[in-house]
């Protein structure tokens, strides 16, 4: 996925946060080496097919969205997926009030699918990654989380 496609996805998500899932999305973030903070996510975004997994959780506030999203574009089955340079496995972090999301860096980022049922539109797993502000990697966030989500009918 190109950077342009990723930016387009992020913009689309910011404009149309669909609370299209039920379940849990736990997110902990440490920004710029500060203390780890739990972000309460009220808007859940989830898609699972045999070739795609997209999981996101966001807090909607007066300054916009805050939260994270992770994606796998490829065969979806249980296992650990390291982040890739071609962005087929990737993530991003939204700091409250940001105009643009901070994309993940590939080193150390991963998504682990512990359980998945495409027919029932359900997935459970964990993720971790470091996201950096575009053009200014001294602004960064370390994100870790877990999810257990079912897509709404």
């Amino acid at each position: 996925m190109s950077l342009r496609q990723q930016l387009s996805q992020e913009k689309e998500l910011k404009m149309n946060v669909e609370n299209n899932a039920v379940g849990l999305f736990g997110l902990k973030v440490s920004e710029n080496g500060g203390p780890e903070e739990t972000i309460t996510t009220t808007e859940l975004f989830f898609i699972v097919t045999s070739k795609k997994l997209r999981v996101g959780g966001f807090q909607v506030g007066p300054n916009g969205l805050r939260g994270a999203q992770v994606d796998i574009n490829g065969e979806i089955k249980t296992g650990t997926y390291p982040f890739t340079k071609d962005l087929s496995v990737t993530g991003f972090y939204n700091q409250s009030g940001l105009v643009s999301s901070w994309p993940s860096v590939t080193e150390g980022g991963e998504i682990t699918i512990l359980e998945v049922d495409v027919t029932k539109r359900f997935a459970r797993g964990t993720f971790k990654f470091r996201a950096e502000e575009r053009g200014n990697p001294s602004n960064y966030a370390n994100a870790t989380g877990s999810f257990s989500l079912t897509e709404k009918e």
Side-chain angles (χ1 to χ4, degrees):
M1 177 184 319
S2 72
L3 179 58
R4 172 179 248 152
Q5 289 170 317
Q6 185 179 11
L7 289 171
S8 176
Q9 280 183 351
E10 292 170 13
K11 182 177 180 183
E12 178 184 332
L13 178 65
K14 286 179 189 177
M15 293 172 58
N16 303 304
V17 173
E18 296 180 39
N19 196 11
N20 73 336
V22 293
L24 301 171
F25 184 90
L27 176 61
K28 293 185 179 188
V29 176
S30 169
E31 292 181 11
N32 299 318
E36 189 172 72
E37 179 183 358
T38 299
I39 298 176
T40 302
T41 56
T42 55
E43 300 295 319
L44 305 174
F45 185 72
F46 178 68
I47 295 170
V48 65
T49 69
S50 62
K51 297 290 182 191
K52 177 189 280 192
L53 175 71
R54 180 170 291 162
V55 179
F58 298 89
Q59 179 182 76
V60 180
N63 295 326
L65 298 176
R66 184 173 186 206
Q69 179 176 310
V70 292
D71 299 284
I72 300 172
N73 291 295
E75 185 180 3
I76 303 301
K77 59 184 180 179
T78 58
T80 298
Y81 297 76
F83 281 26
T84 60
K85 289 182 190 241
D86 70 359
L87 303 178
S88 60
V89 182
T90 190
F92 67 86
Y93 170 65
N94 268 38
Q95 186 187 42
S96 184
L98 279 181
V99 174
S100 179
S101 302
W102 292 356
S104 62
V105 296
T106 56
E107 188 173 324
E110 67 181 26
I111 304 168
T112 299
I113 299 175
L114 301 169
E115 186 178 356
V116 63
D117 188 323
V118 173
T119 305
K120 293 181 181 177
R121 300 187 314 207
F122 167 80
R124 181 173 65 89
T126 62
F127 61 88
K128 66 177 182 176
F129 65 92
R130 175 184 168 116
E132 296 178 352
E133 182 179 11
R134 287 181 182 92
N136 185 8
S138 63
N139 279 336
Y140 67 92
N142 291 313
T144 60
S146 61
F147 57 90
S148 180
L149 295 171
T150 302
E151 193 173 342
K152 287 181 182 177
E153 298 279 330

